[in-house]
Every structure is written in structure tokens, then in C-alpha cells.
Amino acid sequence: METSEIRRRFLQYFEDRGHTVVPSAPLPSPDPNLLFNVAGMAQFVPYFVGQQTPPYPRATSVQKCVRTLDIDEVGKTTRHGTFFQMNGNFSFGDYFKEKAIEYAWELVTKPQHEGGYGFDESVLYASVYYEDDEAIDIWKRVAGLPDDRIVRLGMKDNFWSMGIPGPCGPCSEILIDRGPEFGADRDWEAGDRYLEFWNLVFMQNIRGEGGGKEGYPILGELPKKNIDTGLGLERVAYLLQGVDNMYEIDEIYPVIERASELTGRKYGSEHEDDIRFRVVADHVRSALMLIGDGVTPGNEQGGYVLRRLLRRAIRSMRLLGYEDPSLVELLPVSLEQMKKSYPELETDFGRISQVAYAEEEAFRRTLTAGTTIFDVAVRETKASGAHQLEGAKAFQLHDTYGFPIDLTVEMAAEQGLNVDTEGFKSLMKEQRERAKADARAKKAGHADTSGYRELRDKGVTEFTGYQELSTDSQVRGLLREGAVAEFAEQGETVEVVLEKTPFYAESGGQIADEGLIVGDGLRLKVLDVQRPVKGLIVHRVEILEGVLRPGTDVHAQVDHEWRVSACQAHSGTHVVHAALRQVLGPNALQSGSYNKPGYLRLDFAWTSALDPATRSEIEEVANLAVRQDLPVSAQYMTLPEAREWGALALFGETYDEQVRVVEIGGPWSRELCGGTHVKHSSQVGALAVTGESSVGAGVRRIEAFVGMEALHYLGRERALVRLLSENLKTRPEELPAKVADLAERLRTAEKELERMRAAQVLQAGAELASNPRDVFGVQFVGHRAPDGVNGGDLRKLALDVRGRMGNEKPVVVAVLSVNDGKPGVVIALNDTAREWRLKAGDLVRIAAEKLGGRGGGKDDVAQGGGTDPAGADDALSAVEHAIGHQVTG
């Protein structure tokens, strides 16, 4: 049975039994403590913990998940993978243990021709929490299981909680006996013979403080008992498909087959190769799904995980012997399997493949440059007798050549070395602290959200900002450093929650509104507005006058000019996005945005820079749309309706069942968006594209000013053109030709200066060749050229002097210069000197050490440099001494 069919049957079964089918949430998690969703119940947490009222009494879903902790174990065992799918059925106070067990047992054991999975009942077991006699009784009645096929396990194995105080409850698992070839009889700990594939969580209790999976107190029972189940889709697939592990199921194994064809290696014949094949198959599928949900490769958080997965897959293919680009061969194979369950992947494959292939191209360049440096570092480490690569070297590989630390550790292990990861982390921390000293200062949120949740329990904040810029309201509560407070005084900066507010909270790329909140003797300046928990709008305010207390009547007023400019920027972002898609095609999809009054930037999927003509065309299309005075409207509908209508969703965003669709000119621009907008496109005003750049593999960024800021920008450009025209004494329209002429004349002059400098340097060749020093029979020329001579000219001089001196006697020529404060040295030997076993590479390293650097090259010519000009004279003396030592030694 194909994995897609297992998935379909699960959803159909529970839909037929009154469950609402809920689409999977995107892989990126909205929880700030998690990168990705790791459990099927993730999107239902607000219902389980009582933050929100569920819109349906029972639900079912197949949740996309990514587990990052086991990346290093992927391929080494047959049980670890990164991307996986969790089938689940959920009850929010509707049904409980008996119905959950009944549903699970029926679906698992019902014959396949009747829509079930057709598992043999005789090999199925149930595990239960050891005190849960109720569950044991149900298993006996519903499934007819005897006592010897019901296993009592402790809190560690069969009791679930979120790891913090809150809902919890006993679990019951369905296990299958795979037979004696997978382990000993009744060995529940090994996990290979008695494989758990469906976990039923009976959420009925409230737990207290305590760490770990056991030992915390149970405080009582929930007022409503809930059901949360998780059936591992990949596990069921390999059980039903008759294969031994998840890598061999229909959604994954075709990638292994294609990798085997490309590399000429056979899967199953050699352990190390098998590990690499599994890494490739797992990581290619995971990357496909992550990019599909809007993650792009980067150096932080989820982007770093994706980059690491892609690079491990690419490098594994190289270790298997395949040097050519591999993702172009493997990603389409994974698509063919995954699109059966996720057809949107095929629709979006143009963008997905662009991102992936660009990352591979970048990594291939990285490997070429970084591997050379890595090899040198390994040789030096081993030569010194050490067994650990320095943290500074690992940091250099990461910072300069883009090598993830995991890759360095992996490659070092292959060479029998460890890596000083603590030293690396210390350097990384220093770099981050320098780079992000003031980053996200205004977001300094609190890890503990209990204060926000306490205020959220008093009700949802009503947002009135779509209809008005001011409203009368009442202070529902205030927080100081995340904790609920009773009052705050003049001069303090605190957070305020109102019953209703016109202030837009930062989201969807649009920054928060600014303005004032005033009351009787009270004046607050709004600095920021956020939504720390769903349904709650929190204002960070500076108290300019008065004492702030809960229950105070206030008037909230958004800064009118601020909002107008913000609307111009947000609507301008939609206009630019539509213009991009019109000019470049449908694959130029937005992958992130930021807009504030007068300014916008938009990240989009694209692999190459836009030429000036294309940028101008995009700008023209956008301004034509503004000029056409297109109507701007917003309406609410269900998410499926919005998708069917063709509305574009921002990748990685989590949407409610009801979504807001913003249109500009009908279908020309139709996007899911919660931001504030103008009423007609003409209100955006002027739109000036100011820049376009790369922000990562397969992602470009376009920036623009709108409204008055665009006019100010164009005014500055006009003033600059006028100034240049006056200084160059030419008309504005003739400026490009005039500047091009000046640049060409400058290049010609620089080439002439270069020729004259080289000729001047070479003039010294004859004199140097005629006056060598005799060093125990070796004719040595040591010369410090004038400052400013570059490495190329030094090399020409050394070769010229060597050529003039012939081969009758051994000749060593060492020439040195300091250029831009950095010394460089070139050493050239004739054939006779090399017969005397002298080597240019050895000598240049000696010189470079005195210069505070390094060098290398061939036996006849070598080059080096450093950072210490003061060592120049010592460097030439050291070379002369080394010649004498080697000749006489």
C-alpha cells in the first residue's frame, strides 16, 4: 500500500466519523522555542491548554514534522529521519478513551478491501500506563486482547505531558511483534521487535512543576478530557510495504535508486555507502518539504538546518563518487513521490528547485575553496602531533568559506581528528555579540508568557484599526517585565493591553503603528505593538504623564501620517510583488517582506541578479498600476476558498480557518494579508526602486521608496545629477557617455603606470644578477624592492634575475617588497640549485614566517606573504642562513 494511500485512508476514516479534516500547519513553528513542528498536535495546543475555544469538537490531520536533534544519526540507524508525517485524530472534550481505542483498533485491523490497514490481530499488542486499569479493561472488551498481550509500563514510557505544568495524561500504544529475527521475546525496551506505531494520549490530568519525563506531581483532573493520538505514517508504510525500514518505503527509496545509478555504487553492499545513500534520500526529501514551506538556506535557525541538510546530501553524493551537480537529478525524483500527497509541491517546483540548485552551486564553490584550506589545516595539525583541529581554524572555515561546523567536525573525524568546538562556539558568540548588539532591542520579549496568558484569559483584544484610527477604550491590564502589574508611573516603560485598539500590531512584514493613548491626567506614547499570544494585542508605552492603572478609560489615537505612509508602503509591497511576477514569471514568489512608512523591501525566489533593464521594467509596471488607480479591497473567506480563488499565501505563515484576502486590481494582485492598505492604488504615490541584491542562495531582495520618501529620493538623485553635470561641464543626458569616457581614460592611465612600474622594477635585474653573494658555493641574490611593488612584478623580477644568471652554478633569487602595508616575497631557483636539493617552497616558508604569514609553491618558484613589514630584512637574512645551513649540513 502506497504511503499516500495510507494517508488518504486515515483522513477518510476519521472524516466519515465526524472529524473535521484540518490541513497540516507549515513546518516552521510559530512557537519561539521551536524551529519546526515536531508533533501532530502542535497546531491544536491552544485548544488543549484552554487558550482558545476549538471551532470543532473533533479533528483529524496529517502533520508535517521535522526533527533536528537526530541529524547526525540519520543513515547510521534505520530508525532516524528528519522529515516525517504524523497522522492524528483529536477530541476536544467530545469522546475519550473507549472511542479512541475503538477507532484505532478498527482502522488498524479492518481488512484492506474494506478501507482499513489489514494488520494481523494476532501480532498486535497494547501498552498502557501501569495504573490505568480503565484502559486495560477497554482493550480487553473492544479488541479482545488477553492479559499477555497488554503491557503495563511506567510514567517514563506511557505518560504524556508538554514538559511544563499543564495538561497531561496516560498513554496507550499499539505495538506489533515483528518476529524473533528482530529481538528477544517480551523485550519491550529494545524497540525493534515490538515496534510502537500508534500512540493514544488520554489527556485527563493537570501536572505540576518538575523536570524529566517522570516524578512530577499530578494535581488533579481537567474539566474536559481530550484525546490526542499520533500514528507514524512512515512506520506504518514500511510495515505494510514489507520492507525493513523507513528508507526503503515508496516515498524515499526511489531517491536511493537514482543515487545508485548516478554513482555506480550498490545500496546494500557496503555499510558506509549505505549510510551515505540514506543521508541523501532523507535529506533531499526533507529539503524539498522545507523549501516548499518557505524556508530558504541561511546561517540562522531554520535556514541553517536546511543548508546543513542540503550540504550533507551533496557531500554524501561526492563521497559516493559523484562529482557533478546532484540535486538536479535527485530532487525531481523526490517530487514525483511526494506530490501524490502534496500536489502543491509540483505547482511550486520552479521556485523550490531554483532555491535548491542555487544552494548546491554555492556549496560546490565553497567545497573547492574551503577543502583546500581544510586539508592544509589537517596536515599542520597532524605534523604538530596534535589530535584536535583548532577552534580558530574551524571558525575561519565557517566565517570565510561557509563551512558549517558540523561539516568540519564530520570531515575531521574522517581524518581521525577532533575539533575544538568550544573554541569555535566562543568565537561565534563574540561575532554574534558584535553583529547583533542592538538587534531586536524593541522585541526584548519574555520567555515566560504566563503574564500575557493571564490577560488573554480576560478576553480577546478587539482590533478596530481597519475602520478607524482612534477609539475610546479601557485598560484591561498592564505588565512590567512580563509580569502583571497593578500600576505604573510617569517615566516608566511598560506594556499595556486595551479592550479594543486601532493600533496595528507588527506582523506580515508591516511594523507597528505609533501614536498616543490618553486619559484623564494620563498620556502614553506608543513605542511598539505586538501579539505575544494569539488574540492579545500588547502596546509597549512610555508614560509621559500620570499614573496608569487597570480599568482606566482611555482614548487611543494612531499617528495619522504614520499610518498613511505605512499603508502606502504595504500596498506598494503588494504592487511590487505583482509586478515582479508579471515581468519575471510566476516563480518569482515572495519569501519575506518588511515595510515601514515610506520604505519597502521584498525578498523573492530568484537565482540571478536583475539587469538594469529588468529593474526598470519592474519599476515601470508597478508605477503604471499605481497610475491606473486600481481598487484595493479586502474580504474574508476560508483558507481552502482563498486557495481556490488563487490568493497567494506567504510561505511559512500559519493562518486561521478564516483568512483575509487583499486584492489590488482584482486577480492582478490577490494575497492573504492582515495588514493595512490604501483604498486605491494611486494613493501609493510615486514608487522608486532603489536597489536589488542577493540575500542567500536562490533568494533576491528588491528595495523601494514610496510616496513622499520616493519623491525625496528622486530629488536627491536629481541634485546629484546636476552637481555632476556642473563639475564635468556637460549636459545631464550626456553624463553616461562622459563618465564612461573618463573611466576608460583612467583605466588606460593605470595600465600605463603599471607598465612603467614593471619596467622600472625589471631595470634592476641586470645589476642584481651581476652582484650575487656567494653562500658556500650558491649564488644568492637577496633584494628588497621599493615599496608598492605587487606580487606579479616581484615574480617577473625574480625570474628575470634567475634567467640572467644561467645554470652553471646554483642560483637562489629572493626578492621582497611591501605593498599596501603587507610584505610579499618571491623565491626562484635554477636547475642546478635544485640538484643541490634546495627547494623554493621550503625557503619561502622560512621567509614568510619572519613576515608573520605563510607561503608555498613549487621547487623552482614559490611565493609568500605576511602582515609584519618590520620583518622584511630578517626574512632575507633567514633565507641566506637556511641556504648555508642546508648546503653545509
Side-chain angles (χ1 to χ4, degrees):
M1 188 182 295
E2 288 191 339
T3 305
S4 59
E5 176 61 14
I6 299 170
R7 178 183 187 275
R8 188 201 66 78
R9 289 189 182 208
F10 187 91
L11 294 175
Q12 186 65 57
Y13 176 87
F14 283 102
E15 185 177 23
D16 291 344
R17 285 152 183 80
H19 293 67
T20 298
V21 176
V22 181
S24 170
L27 281 167
S29 172
D31 186 336
N33 299 309
L34 295 172
L35 291 179
F36 305 113
N37 283 315
V38 295
M41 52 83 71
Q43 64 177 313
F44 302 112
V45 167
Y47 307 150
F48 287 132
V49 300
Q51 294 173 4
Q52 298 177 36
T53 301
Y56 27 68
R58 50 176 74 180
T60 184
S61 71
V62 177
Q63 176 63 46
K64 297 176 287 187
C65 303
V66 164
R67 178 170 44 216
T68 60
L69 295 177
D70 297 330
I71 289 178
D72 292 327
E73 298 303 314
V74 170
K76 296 177 183 177
T77 74
T78 58
R79 299 174 60 189
H80 289 94
T82 44
F83 174 79
F84 63 98
Q85 299 156 91
M86 190 60 70
N87 298 9
N89 61 286
F90 309 91
S91 167
F92 311 108
D94 186 25
Y95 61 83
F96 200 49
K97 289 183 187 178
E98 183 156 355
K99 208 67 178 173
I101 291 173
E102 179 184 312
Y103 285 150
W105 188 255
E106 182 183 22
L107 178 58
V108 166
T109 60
K110 178 186 287 190
Q112 292 188 8
H113 68 271
E114 295 180 12
Y117 294 145
F119 280 97
D120 180 359
E121 294 185 23
S122 67
V123 294
L124 298 180
Y125 287 70
S127 70
V128 297
Y129 180 52
Y130 76 103
E131 292 182 343
D132 194 355
D133 293 329
E134 180 187 3
I136 292 174
D137 179 62
I138 295 171
W139 278 114
K140 288 179 178 180
R141 285 189 292 102
V142 170
L145 288 180
D147 287 332
D148 63 350
R149 297 220 329 260
I150 300 176
V151 186
R152 292 178 185 259
L153 297 174
M155 181 175 275
K156 178 182 177 183
D157 297 298
N158 273 60
F159 203 92
W160 178 90
S161 81
M162 295 174 62
I164 58 175
C168 62
C171 303
S172 189
E173 300 171 331
I174 302 178
L175 307 95
I176 186 170
D177 182 359
R178 302 172 74 194
E181 63 270 30
F182 290 95
D185 186 33
R186 315 295 291 180
D187 184 359
W188 311 110
E189 298 296 325
D192 287 324
R193 176 167 177 175
Y194 298 95
L195 184 72
E196 172 261 318
F197 62 91
W198 199 342
N199 186 21
L200 315 176
V201 178
F202 309 131
M203 215 178 299
Q204 64 188 59
N205 302 112
I206 301 174
R207 60 158 284 184
E209 295 282 356
K213 292 186 175 182
E214 52 189 334
Y216 47 79
I218 304 300
L219 304 180
E221 291 197 348
L222 291 170
K224 284 190 176 181
K225 298 178 180 180
N226 305 313
I227 288 294
D228 158 28
T229 83
L231 176 141
L233 183 54
E234 283 77 11
R235 284 196 178 183
V236 174
Y238 71 73
L239 290 172
L240 291 182
Q241 291 173 17
V243 295
D244 286 342
N245 57 73
M246 63 173 286
Y247 298 103
E248 297 173 14
I249 66 172
D250 62 316
E251 285 190 348
I252 302 177
Y253 190 66
V255 175
I256 292 179
E257 288 183 310
R258 182 60 181 143
S260 179
E261 293 172 4
L262 294 171
T263 61
R265 308 272 184 100
K266 186 178 179 181
Y267 179 71
S269 61
E270 203 275 319
H271 179 65
E272 288 301 317
D273 282 357
D274 285 355
I275 292 175
R276 290 164 185 151
F277 278 124
R278 292 168 186 157
V279 166
V280 169
D282 173 86
H283 290 4
V284 166
R285 185 173 78 137
S286 299
L288 171 72
M289 302 306 296
L290 284 167
I291 300 173
D293 272 3
V295 182
T296 55
N299 292 326
E300 297 288 339
Q301 299 189 2
Y304 176 75
V305 172
L306 172 59
R307 171 163 285 168
R308 185 179 172 196
L309 292 172
L310 284 169
R311 294 186 170 190
R312 289 188 90 225
I314 295 162
R315 186 165 178 271
S316 293
M317 284 297 288
R318 291 172 71 94
L319 292 173
L320 286 165
Y322 191 73
E323 297 290 332
D324 294 333
S326 56
L327 292 182
V328 70
E329 300 286 348
L330 301 175
L331 202 66
V333 177
S334 188
L335 169 69
E336 284 303 307
Q337 304 308 313
M338 298 307 297
K339 72 181 185 182
K340 299 172 186 177
S341 294
Y342 305 98
E344 65 272 16
L345 292 172
E346 185 170 34
T347 304
D348 196 29
F349 191 65
R351 179 192 66 85
I352 295 170
S353 58
Q354 277 187 340
V355 172
Y357 301 162
E359 178 65 18
E360 177 165 26
E361 182 182 347
F363 185 49
R364 285 168 63 83
R365 293 194 298 267
T366 291
L367 277 176
T368 301
T371 301
T372 303
I373 304 301
F374 174 82
D375 290 343
V376 170
V378 167
R379 284 199 300 271
E380 291 178 347
T381 301
K382 289 183 175 180
S384 69
H387 300 286
Q388 186 178 66
L389 201 66
E390 294 177 359
K393 187 58 65 179
F395 178 76
Q396 179 193 6
L397 284 164
H398 170 84
D399 195 46
T400 307
Y401 299 99
F403 262 44
I405 182 62
D406 317 273
L407 178 59
T408 303
V409 169
E410 205 170 277
M411 292 174 65
E414 292 167 2
Q415 298 291 330
L417 297 176
N418 296 318
V419 176
D420 177 16
T421 53
E422 291 304 315
F424 169 83
K425 290 176 183 176
S426 175
L427 291 168
M428 283 294 293
K429 183 180 179 182
E430 289 177 16
Q431 184 191 60
R432 288 194 181 104
E433 287 173 352
R434 287 193 302 268
K436 298 182 178 181
D438 60 347
R440 302 188 185 95
K442 70 170 188 173
K443 300 289 189 302
H446 309 283
D448 180 8
T449 61
S450 58
Y452 299 125
R453 299 194 187 285
E454 182 179 334
L455 293 181
R456 170 61 182 79
D457 289 341
K458 296 180 179 180
V460 173
T461 308
E462 180 186 351
F463 175 61
T464 65
Y466 292 138
Q467 298 83 29
E468 59 187 9
L469 294 184
S470 65
T471 187
D472 292 326
S473 188
Q474 189 177 82
V475 176
R476 178 170 287 162
L478 62 142
L479 303 100
R480 184 185 293 108
E481 297 182 355
V484 175
E486 292 302 317
F487 69 93
E489 300 177 308
Q490 182 175 330
E492 286 192 85
T493 297
V494 294
E495 292 175 306
V496 179
V497 175
L498 305 180
E499 288 189 351
K500 58 182 179 178
T501 179
F503 284 89
Y504 180 80
E506 180 175 1
S507 64
Q510 180 178 334
I511 70 169
D513 282 332
E514 292 188 357
L516 294 172
I517 299 173
V518 297
D520 186 13
L522 183 67
R523 192 160 175 263
L524 315 175
K525 181 180 180 181
V526 177
L527 306 174
D528 188 25
V529 190
Q530 297 290 326
R531 295 178 184 264
V533 297
K534 196 168 185 178
L536 191 72
I537 298 177
V538 177
H539 312 71
R540 188 162 67 91
V541 301
E542 179 186 353
I543 303 178
L544 303 178
E545 296 175 14
V547 177
L548 177 64
R549 299 179 189 276
T552 302
D553 291 329
V554 294
H555 183 76
Q557 175 68 58
V558 175
D559 183 306
H560 179 267
E561 287 303 315
W562 179 277
R563 171 65 76 80
V564 168
S565 295
C567 289
Q568 288 179 311
H570 202 152
S571 296
T573 304
H574 284 226
V575 168
V576 171
H577 187 203
L580 277 168
R581 288 168 53 76
Q582 180 175 322
V583 174
L584 301 179
N587 288 337
L589 281 169
Q590 177 181 337
S591 59
S593 67
Y594 173 78
N595 50 78
K596 64 179 182 179
Y599 167 85
L600 69 89
R601 72 170 187 239
L602 186 147
D603 297 343
F604 61 100
W606 204 251
T607 56
S608 57
L610 304 183
D611 58 53
T614 303
R615 281 176 49 181
S616 294
E617 185 179 0
I618 292 166
E619 186 178 61
E620 182 175 356
V621 169
N623 278 291
L624 282 173
V626 170
R627 182 182 177 185
Q628 288 170 0
D629 196 30
L630 301 173
V632 180
S633 63
Q635 54 187 299
Y636 290 87
M637 61 189 69
T638 66
L639 184 56
E641 287 172 341
R643 294 189 186 280
E644 186 177 344
W645 206 34
L648 298 176
L650 182 62
F651 295 112
E653 288 286 336
T654 301
Y655 296 100
D656 294 331
E657 283 297 300
Q658 286 287 316
V659 295
R660 182 171 181 259
V661 178
V662 174
E663 280 191 327
I664 301 178
W668 185 72
S669 173
R670 186 177 281 163
E671 300 188 31
L672 273 63
C673 180
T676 62
H677 289 272
V678 298
K679 301 299 183 184
H680 292 269
S681 64
S682 61
Q683 294 172 337
V684 170
L687 193 153
V689 173
T690 60
E692 188 268 338
S693 58
S694 171
V695 290
V699 181
R700 307 291 300 180
R701 171 173 291 171
I702 194 165
E703 297 177 88
F705 287 127
V706 298
M708 290 303 299
E709 285 300 323
L711 293 177
H712 294 157
Y713 168 78
L714 294 173
R716 291 191 297 270
E717 294 283 291
R718 184 172 59 186
L720 179 61
V721 169
R722 184 166 54 244
L723 179 62
L724 287 173
S725 298
E726 291 172 356
N727 287 339
L728 297 177
K729 294 180 172 52
T730 189
R731 297 194 308 186
E733 62 269 23
E734 296 172 350
L735 264 179
K738 184 73 171 180
V739 172
D741 177 61
L742 286 173
E744 181 58 32
R745 288 163 60 185
L746 180 60
R747 282 193 292 269
T748 301
E750 288 175 342
K751 288 180 181 178
E752 180 62 19
L753 286 172
E754 179 75 17
R755 187 191 64 76
M756 293 174 63
R757 185 168 58 246
Q760 185 179 20
V761 169
L762 291 173
Q763 283 177 359
E767 182 179 352
L768 292 173
S770 63
N771 292 294
R773 291 172 61 87
D774 186 285
V775 182
F776 298 100
V778 176
Q779 303 302 294
F780 174 65
V781 174
H783 173 64
R784 177 169 178 174
D787 289 354
V789 179
N790 62 38
D793 289 344
L794 281 180
R795 188 181 183 90
K796 291 177 184 176
L797 177 60
L799 294 177
D800 179 63
V801 174
R802 184 187 70 177
R804 292 173 183 271
M805 297 178 70
N807 271 310
E808 183 178 348
K809 295 181 179 180
V811 172
V812 176
V813 180
V815 291
L816 186 149
S817 178
V818 177
N819 186 24
D820 288 335
K822 295 182 179 180
V825 60
V826 176
I827 296 180
L829 279 63
N830 66 0
D831 294 340
T832 307
R834 282 183 286 141
E835 290 172 3
W836 281 40
R837 297 185 178 178
L838 294 170
K839 297 181 179 180
D842 294 341
L843 295 175
V844 84
R845 276 189 283 273
I846 292 170
E849 285 180 6
K850 298 295 183 181
L851 302 174
R854 59 197 306 174
K858 298 180 179 179
D859 290 349
D860 60 337
V861 183
Q863 193 164 346
T867 57
D868 183 12
D873 294 333
D874 288 342
L876 294 175
S877 298
V879 172
E880 182 176 350
H881 178 76
I883 294 169
H885 180 75
Q886 187 161 341
V887 170
T888 59

